């Protein structure tokens, strides 16, 4: 611990890093029958008591949340829990004595998955955000990609879909994801429905799911193929793709829209996590088009006919344009999420109009975020396609609310957070698209053919940066990029 505060029989231990794990200590001179109450939390209140950030509200009132009880037997030994772990940065132990308190250690626990990439630049804020993303990822690798190590520890598919690419970039995670992908397949009902959490105790098939979650069926095979060249999950699961697409069709209303599941989740909305100004039928339709394209790719890999998929994709695209674009060529929902998704998915032929709408939407918010976890997966890349990496850089580094830098300056966060209010989880990975963006845009490393058979090295030389160093391990070896400003030139 970096700090130990004593409040009578209660000791509070502050650690430098928010982690998943437990504490270990030596029992020392504890007497037989002496009871210790050990509680874990991610933040402290001003009076030194633990704050559970509303995480304890997920449990019945009579359940002791994030708590261990230890009863000493009078022997001197080293103790830690063997069948549980917690998400924490602060630990409160009641009943401990001074000698025992001096032996308390925090132990970081996660799946044994090696790193395969790294990023560093002249802006320590970006370096810290990258490190926060690494710790959040590790904190949620427990046999499946969990949402957080604190309250639920569940395999939320929307979180995983948002992080799949950076998982594959930064970690030797393909086998880890393939294992969980079998759980995804096993979770699918006979009608093609996929739940929000995987594995599921028959929960989350209706209210909390939707394409923002079920898209994990397509995302894992697609990203594994892009970064490793292994297309087996694509062409071996075409039947599963088609089955889920058929299910999605059954969810259409009379207007051909799919109004179910989550919308652009967890944005800085005053009315709550699920209050995006972009309706879910809009984002659902865009995701449906994306899934059709991945299914078509899978069919192409195994030489199957793709004409019907092409026709359906074109019909959906035309319906989307007629529904969500006005006669002047502008989108009727001029918000960051809808505009970004349209650009990245190349929906509308007159891109210049949509690009200008997006630039205005970002500038109107003074480069602050006005999107949720879904929109964030597209926003920075849409600005890149519009040749406005300067705006994307400003979005990532914007001071104040809502912005990533506020997690550092206002919370002293060491992991990525769930959202923009302090009452939410302090260790989530669903905004970790930041890490992929740093590697691909600032570092300039991105495959242009599956498995890095060919790649593009094209960094964005941000005027605010004096250097950037990045590497990524591929099946052909390590690819390292270093660019640095020297006098009036940039050396790469």
């Amino acid at each position: 611990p970096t700090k130990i505060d004593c409040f009578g029989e209660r000791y509070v231990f502050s650690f430098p890093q928010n982690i998943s794990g437990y504490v270990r200590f030596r029992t020392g001179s504890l007497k037989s029958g002496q009871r210790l109450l050990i509680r874990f939390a991610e933040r402290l209140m001003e009076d030194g008591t633990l704050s559970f950030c509303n995480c304890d509200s997920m449990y019945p009132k009579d359940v002791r949340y994030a708590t261990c009880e230890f009863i000493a037997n009078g022997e001197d030994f080293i103790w830690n829990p063997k069948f549980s772990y917690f998400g924490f940065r602060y630990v409160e132990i009641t009943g401990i004595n001074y000698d025992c308190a001096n032996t308390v250690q925090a132990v970081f626990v996660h799946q044994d998955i090696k790193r395969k990439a790294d990023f560093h630049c002249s802006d320590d804020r970006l370096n810290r955000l990258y490190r926060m993303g690494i710790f959040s990822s590790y904190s949620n690798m427990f046999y499946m990609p969990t949402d957080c190590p604190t309250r639920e520890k569940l395999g939320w598919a929307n979180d995983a879909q948002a992080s799949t690419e950076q998982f594959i970039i930064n970690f030797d995670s393909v086998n880890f994801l393939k294992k969980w992908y079998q759980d995804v397949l096993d979770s699918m009902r006979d009608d093609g429905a996929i739940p929000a959490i995987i594995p599921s105790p028959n929960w989350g098939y209706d209210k909390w799911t939707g394409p923002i979650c079920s898209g994990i069926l397509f995302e894992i095979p697609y990203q594994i193929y892009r970064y490793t060249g292994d297309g087996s999950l694509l062409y071996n699961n075409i039947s599963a793709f088609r089955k889920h697409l058929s299910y999605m069709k059954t969810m259409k209303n009379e207007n051909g829209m799919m109004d179910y599941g989550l919308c652009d989740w967890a944005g800085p909305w005053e009315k709550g996590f699920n209050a995006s100004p972009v309706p879910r039928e809009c984002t659902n339709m865009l995701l449906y088009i994306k899934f059709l394209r991945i299914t078509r790719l899978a069919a192409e890999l195994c030489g199957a006919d793709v004409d019907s998929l092409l026709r359906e994709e074109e019909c959906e695209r035309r319906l989307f344009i007629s529904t969500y674009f006005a006669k002047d060529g502008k989108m009727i929902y001029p918000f960051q999420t809808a505009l970004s998704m349209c650009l990245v998915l190349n929906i509308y032929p007159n891109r210049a109009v949509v690009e200008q709408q997006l630039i205005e939407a970002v500038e109107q918010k003074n480069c602050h975020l006005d999107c949720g976890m879904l929109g964030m997966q597209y926003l920075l890349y849409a600005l890149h396609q519009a040749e406005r990496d300067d705006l994307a850089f400003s979005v990532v580094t914007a001071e104040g609310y809502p912005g990533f830098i506020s997690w550092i300056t206002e919370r002293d966060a060491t992991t990525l957070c769930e959202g923009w209010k302090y009452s939410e989880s302090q260790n989530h990975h669903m905004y970790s698209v930041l890490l992929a963006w740093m590697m691909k845009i600032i570092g300039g490393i991105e495959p242009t053919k599956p498995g890095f058979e060919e790649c593009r090295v094209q960094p964005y030389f941000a005027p605010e940066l004096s250097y950037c160093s990045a590497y990524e391990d591929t099946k052909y070896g390590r690819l390292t990029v270093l660019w640095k400003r020297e006098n009036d030139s940039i050396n790469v």
Side-chain angles (χ1 to χ4, degrees):
T2 54
K3 185 180 179 184
I4 303 176
D5 292 313
C6 181
F7 302 91
E9 291 188 349
R10 179 172 63 89
Y11 281 80
V12 175
F13 302 83
S14 302
F15 295 95
Q17 177 66 48
N18 196 350
I19 60 171
S20 55
Y22 47 72
V23 292
R24 178 168 57 205
F25 58 83
R26 188 165 186 167
T27 59
S29 58
L30 293 178
K31 297 179 180 178
S32 179
Q34 188 171 348
R35 292 174 179 262
L36 304 185
L37 199 64
I38 308 154
R39 300 199 302 162
F40 301 82
E42 292 185 307
R43 59 175 289 228
L44 291 179
M45 304 292 281
E46 291 184 1
D47 62 359
T49 57
L50 301 185
S51 169
F52 295 112
C53 301
N54 286 334
C55 290
D56 52 342
S57 66
M58 304 291 292
Y59 291 82
K61 291 184 179 180
D62 57 346
V63 171
R64 292 191 297 186
Y65 170 77
T67 300
C68 290
E69 185 174 7
F70 171 74
I71 305 173
N73 65 358
E75 297 178 6
D76 182 13
F77 67 97
I78 296 175
W79 176 87
N80 58 257
K82 290 181 170 59
F83 302 106
S84 58
Y85 73 93
F86 308 90
F88 69 97
R89 188 175 178 180
Y90 304 96
V91 176
E92 175 191 272
I93 305 181
T94 302
I96 203 170
N97 58 35
Y98 178 78
D99 292 336
C100 188
N102 284 334
T103 70
V104 171
Q105 295 175 312
V107 182
F108 189 22
V109 180
H110 55 78
Q111 206 83 20
D112 184 15
I113 299 177
K114 291 180 173 58
R115 292 278 304 280
K116 58 183 284 290
D118 203 3
F119 172 93
H120 196 271
C121 71
S122 58
D123 189 330
D124 285 337
R125 300 173 303 171
L126 291 183
N127 298 334
R128 182 162 173 176
L129 285 172
Y130 196 92
R131 184 174 183 271
M132 288 161 63
I134 295 297
F135 270 91
S136 288
S137 299
Y138 265 141
S139 295
N140 287 285
M141 289 183 178
F142 283 85
Y143 308 101
M144 59 185 174
T146 59
D147 61 325
C148 60
T150 47
R151 59 175 186 238
E152 295 175 61
K153 305 175 183 175
L154 294 175
W156 276 94
N158 58 317
D159 294 44
Q161 183 176 188
S163 297
T164 294
E165 184 178 20
Q166 78 84 8
F167 280 161
I168 295 173
I169 289 173
N170 286 294
F171 303 91
D172 187 12
S173 59
V174 169
N175 286 339
F176 171 72
L177 291 171
K178 281 185 174 181
K179 180 271 167 196
W180 185 61
Y181 191 73
Q182 185 59 52
D183 297 337
V184 175
L185 295 172
D186 293 343
S187 76
M188 186 185 293
R189 290 192 316 206
D190 291 341
D191 64 356
I194 294 175
I197 61 169
I198 303 168
S200 171
N202 202 31
W203 180 90
Y205 283 93
D206 300 311
K207 180 179 179 182
W208 295 103
T209 183
I212 191 174
C213 294
S214 63
I216 195 65
L217 178 71
F218 304 88
E219 188 72 8
I220 287 178
Y222 176 65
Q223 295 296 352
I224 288 179
Y225 176 64
R226 284 190 64 217
Y227 281 90
T228 72
D230 178 4
S232 60
L233 285 188
L234 282 172
Y235 50 72
N236 288 336
N237 292 292
I238 293 178
S239 59
F241 295 169
R242 292 184 182 276
K243 187 175 181 180
H244 185 64
L245 289 172
S246 295
Y247 170 78
M248 293 179 69
K249 290 180 186 177
T250 68
M251 303 301 289
K252 288 186 175 183
N253 58 27
E254 63 277 5
N255 298 317
M257 302 297 155
M258 291 169 280
D259 186 16
Y260 78 105
L262 299 178
C263 67
D264 186 22
W265 184 251
W269 329 124
E270 292 301 322
K271 295 183 179 180
F273 263 30
N274 212 17
S276 169
V278 180
R280 61 187 177 184
E281 52 262 41
C282 175
T283 52
N284 283 356
M285 196 170 186
L286 289 167
L287 289 172
Y288 184 71
I289 292 172
K290 176 183 177 182
F291 303 161
L292 283 170
R293 291 175 180 173
I294 294 175
T295 304
R296 174 161 55 90
L297 171 63
E300 289 172 345
L301 288 176
C302 60
D305 180 68
V306 298
D307 288 346
S308 62
L309 289 166
L310 281 168
R311 287 194 298 271
E312 183 178 3
E313 178 189 326
E314 182 60 18
C315 287
E316 294 292 331
R317 191 183 70 85
R318 289 179 181 275
L319 176 60
F320 184 90
I321 291 173
S322 65
T323 304
Y324 295 111
F325 280 84
K327 292 181 179 180
D328 61 0
K330 293 185 177 181
M331 193 175 191
I332 63 173
Y333 292 110
F335 304 108
Q336 292 176 11
T337 294
L339 298 166
S340 297
M341 293 183 73
C342 279
L343 287 169
V344 172
L345 295 174
N346 200 23
I347 299 296
Y348 192 62
N350 191 349
R351 293 180 59 87
V353 174
V354 186
E355 287 175 355
Q356 185 57 37
Q357 278 190 284
L358 177 61
I359 291 168
E360 291 173 359
V362 172
E363 291 178 338
Q364 285 171 1
K365 294 293 181 179
N366 295 318
C367 293
H368 285 100
L369 292 170
D370 189 34
C371 64
M373 58 162 295
L374 176 61
M376 190 62 205
Q377 295 167 51
Y378 296 86
L379 173 61
L380 302 179
Y381 298 122
L383 290 170
H384 173 70
Q385 291 181 0
E387 298 183 353
R388 292 303 306 268
D389 285 317
D390 59 320
L391 277 184
F393 191 91
S394 295
V395 167
V396 173
T397 59
E399 302 275 358
Y401 176 92
F404 299 106
I405 301 304
S406 68
W407 289 347
I408 297 173
T409 57
E410 298 176 18
R411 307 187 193 185
D412 188 31
T414 59
T415 45
L416 302 180
C417 302
E418 181 182 17
W420 311 105
K421 297 179 180 178
Y422 215 165
S423 59
E424 297 149 0
S425 166
Q426 307 299 297
N427 193 350
H428 258 63
H429 60 87
M430 65 185 182
Y431 279 101
S432 66
V433 66
L434 276 177
L435 279 66
W437 173 80
M438 290 184 204
M439 184 66 66
K440 292 161 62 177
I441 306 302
I442 306 298
I445 299 175
E446 185 173 13
T448 50
K449 284 190 177 180
F452 280 93
E453 183 180 346
E454 288 184 3
C455 65
R456 175 176 57 246
V457 176
Q458 188 178 352
Y460 166 56
F461 305 121
E464 297 86 349
L465 301 179
S466 60
Y467 76 88
C468 175
S469 174
Y471 77 81
E472 184 173 345
D473 289 337
T474 79
K475 68 179 182 180
Y476 297 106
R478 175 165 293 183
L479 174 57
T480 303
V481 174
L482 169 65
W483 63 264
K484 187 175 183 180
R485 296 184 186 277
E486 294 181 349
N487 299 322
D488 294 329
S489 63
I490 299 172
N491 291 329
V492 182

